[in-house]
Amino acid sequence: MLWTLLSIVVAFAELIAFMSTDWLIGKAKAVGGQDTDNKTGDESEEPYRPTLGIYGRCFKMSRVQYARRDMLCGPYAETFGEIASGFWQATAIFLAVGIFILCAVAFVSVFTMCVQSVMKKSIFNVCGLLQGIAGLFLILGLILYPAGWGCQKAVGFCGQYASAYKLGECSVGWAFYTAIGATVLTFICAVFSAQAEIATSSDKVQEEIEEGKNLICLL
């Protein structure tokens, strides 16, 4: 049960992080997009920090019609080729593959309470192997992501001193940390899958199965 629940949590955490715009928190800007270093504009407005994701961004703009200011979020890239950096395109590919594998494993893990093997292969061992492979894809994506900090889009958010693996005036958002944490948990899941296999193949479980029980809980 612990392995199943953790597999589901990891898949959702990676998916939410991938879709988030909070990978980079940009330098402080005034409402309307002006840098705080620029003295023009309404200095009474409190500055804010826009956020930038792999394919999306959030920023504030003044809506005179409604006399209020809202945070606008959405994709800046309408197509895959419009993603700001080639490194981020590679990151998107590796993360997407890893997340797809994790989601597939999370779906299969729900049924391991009733079925433990397919074609004489342990589902736990197969799922553990797939989680390890997914973890490798996720690591590659996370390593390549900082290499794209020198792209034009990132420089606009982080200042002229931003470059590959250098944040400039930006800071790392929660989505990047969430993706790292979920990647670590992915490998922990792979280890737990081996323990799940050992638990379900124990003598006590086999005795319960012979008695005709389908759902077995061990304490």
Side-chain angles (χ1 to χ4, degrees):
M1 288 295 295
L2 177 60
W3 172 75
T4 299
L5 292 175
L6 195 57
S7 297
I8 295 173
V9 169
V10 165
F12 273 101
E14 288 286 0
L15 182 60
I16 291 172
F18 178 74
M19 297 174 63
S20 173
T21 60
D22 290 315
W23 285 73
L24 282 181
I25 301 176
K27 63 180 181 178
K29 292 180 177 291
V31 175
Q34 294 291 336
D35 295 343
T36 54
D37 294 336
N38 190 339
K39 300 303 181 180
T40 61
D42 187 357
E43 296 182 2
S44 65
E45 293 295 339
E46 183 179 353
Y48 74 100
R49 303 191 71 179
T51 58
L52 179 65
I54 298 174
Y55 62 89
R57 64 10 181 178
C58 283
F59 63 94
K60 284 185 179 180
M61 65 178 298
S62 177
R63 289 190 173 184
V64 179
Q65 181 180 357
Y66 300 101
R68 66 181 184 180
R69 290 158 178 83
D70 296 324
M71 183 69 77
L72 301 179
C73 298
Y76 68 81
E78 297 296 334
T79 63
F80 179 78
E82 294 179 358
I83 293 178
S85 168
F87 291 108
W88 289 3
Q89 292 176 356
T91 294
I93 293 174
F94 285 126
L95 291 184
V97 173
I99 292 171
F100 176 80
I101 295 174
L102 290 180
C103 289
V105 171
F107 178 78
V108 172
S109 68
V110 176
F111 298 97
T112 57
M113 292 183 290
C114 301
V115 180
Q116 282 78 43
S117 63
V118 175
M119 298 178 65
K120 297 182 179 181
K121 298 291 184 179
S122 169
I123 290 182
F124 299 104
N125 291 338
V126 173
C127 288
L129 176 61
L130 291 175
Q131 286 175 328
I133 295 173
L136 294 178
F137 278 109
L138 296 174
I139 287 177
L140 288 174
L142 294 176
I143 290 176
L144 289 174
Y145 173 71
W149 289 347
C151 68
Q152 185 177 359
K153 176 71 72 175
V155 170
F157 272 71
C158 305
Q160 60 182 341
Y161 298 107
S163 60
Y165 297 97
K166 293 183 180 180
L167 284 171
E169 299 179 48
C170 282
S171 59
V172 177
W174 65 265
F176 188 51
Y177 290 120
T178 300
I180 293 175
T183 301
V184 174
L185 288 177
T186 297
F187 289 103
I188 295 177
C189 282
V191 175
F192 278 2
S193 68
Q195 298 301 318
E197 166 63 19
I198 294 172
T200 55
S201 60
S202 65
D203 292 337
K204 185 176 181 179
V205 171
Q206 295 304 317
E207 292 174 0
E208 298 282 357
I209 293 175
E210 291 175 0
E211 294 177 3
K213 294 183 179 179
N214 293 323
L215 183 60
I216 302 169
C217 295
L218 296 179
L219 300 178

